């Protein structure tokens, strides 16, 4: 997997204090000027919202679709709905919605807690007529691998959480018509 991030280009302690045009310019450079080589997919992880970055990407990059990721609580879903509507308004197909931090599994007792609520993204997907792609729990293994800079799929490829990501990826690839048999 090839990855590019502003984090690779800046000091870890330095904030990125940029106005919209600077952000857009950096994003366009990453999309157009990085030597990506042959790719099956190019995934752009965008911040929530409907600002310059999202609008420019939708207008200047041929996007095959958008996946909206939200935590289940109402406040986060308000932003997710706005992003979804913006992508629809600029004719970017909505592939579906993923609920992140859907529940928390205690590493000691296994009890499931719904810290941020549960099912809000699924309910919104149903209400908005888009596909609910799945839910990702808040779990120590996901956080630990992320903090270590190791994708979970590499750190624990046979684990239950890696399986969640595999299933989500396969659904998205299938929706894009790129899944191999």
């Amino acid at each position: 997997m090839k990855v590019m991030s502003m984090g690779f280009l800046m000091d870890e302690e330095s904030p990125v204090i940029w106005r919209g045009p600077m952000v857009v310019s950096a994003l366009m450079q990453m999309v157009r000027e990085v030597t990506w080589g042959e790719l099956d997919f190019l995934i752009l992880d965008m911040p929530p919202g409907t600002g310059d970055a999202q609008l420019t990407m939708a207008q200047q990059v041929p996007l095959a679709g958008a996946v909206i990721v939200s935590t289940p609580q109402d406040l986060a879903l308000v932003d997710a709905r706005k992003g979804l509507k913006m992508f629809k308004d600029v004719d970017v197909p909505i592939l579906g919605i993923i609920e992140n931090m859907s529940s928390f599994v205690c590493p000691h007792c296994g009890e499931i807690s719904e810290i941020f609520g549960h099912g809000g993204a699924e309910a919104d997907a149903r209400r908005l007529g888009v596909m609910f792609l799945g839910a990702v729990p808040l779990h120590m293994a996901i956080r630990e691998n992320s903090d270590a800079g190791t994708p979970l799929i590499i750190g624990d490829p046979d684990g239950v959480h890696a399986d969640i990501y595999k299933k989500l990826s396969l659904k998205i690839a299938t929706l894009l018509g790129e899944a191999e048999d």
Side-chain angles (χ1 to χ4, degrees):
M1 179 183 334
K2 300 172 185 175
V3 179
M4 182 56 187
S5 170
M6 285 303 300
F8 299 156
L9 306 174
M10 304 189 76
D11 181 323
E12 186 177 303
E13 302 296 320
S14 297
V16 179
I17 305 171
W18 288 356
R19 294 197 183 278
M22 295 169 75
V23 173
V24 168
S25 177
L27 282 170
M28 294 311 294
Q29 281 185 299
M30 281 194 246
V31 170
R32 294 186 174 148
E33 296 178 27
V34 170
T35 306
W36 291 107
E38 188 174 331
L39 297 174
D40 294 321
F41 299 98
L42 177 62
I43 299 169
L44 303 171
D45 182 9
M46 303 291 292
T50 56
D52 288 345
Q54 294 86 347
L55 186 57
T56 299
M57 287 294 114
Q59 291 174 334
Q60 294 190 19
V61 177
L63 301 177
V67 173
I68 306 298
V69 179
S70 180
T71 53
Q73 74 267 36
D74 292 339
L75 189 57
L77 288 164
V78 168
D79 282 341
R81 284 190 296 269
K82 289 177 183 177
L84 187 145
K85 182 164 180 5
M86 186 222 56
F87 282 116
K88 277 186 174 181
D89 287 351
V90 294
D91 296 321
V92 173
I94 304 300
L95 302 175
I97 298 176
I98 294 173
E99 185 168 283
N100 195 22
M101 296 189 264
S102 184
S103 59
F104 172 73
V105 180
C106 176
H108 306 292
C109 69
E111 181 178 323
I112 296 174
S113 298
E114 296 171 347
I115 296 171
F116 299 106
H118 179 78
E122 185 172 11
D124 259 14
R126 217 177 9 260
R127 188 177 63 75
L128 297 168
V130 298
M131 181 180 289
F132 179 67
L133 297 170
V136 177
L138 178 60
H139 194 274
M140 294 291 286
I142 296 170
R143 199 259 321 144
E144 289 167 349
N145 277 274
S146 181
D147 284 352
T150 306
L152 186 67
I153 197 79
I154 292 171
D156 187 15
D158 298 320
V160 65
H161 299 103
D163 192 51
I164 292 168
Y165 287 105
K166 288 176 191 175
K167 287 178 180 174
L168 287 169
S169 299
L170 184 58
K171 280 183 184 179
I172 295 166
T174 300
L175 290 169
L176 293 170
E178 297 289 336
E180 294 183 33
D181 295 321

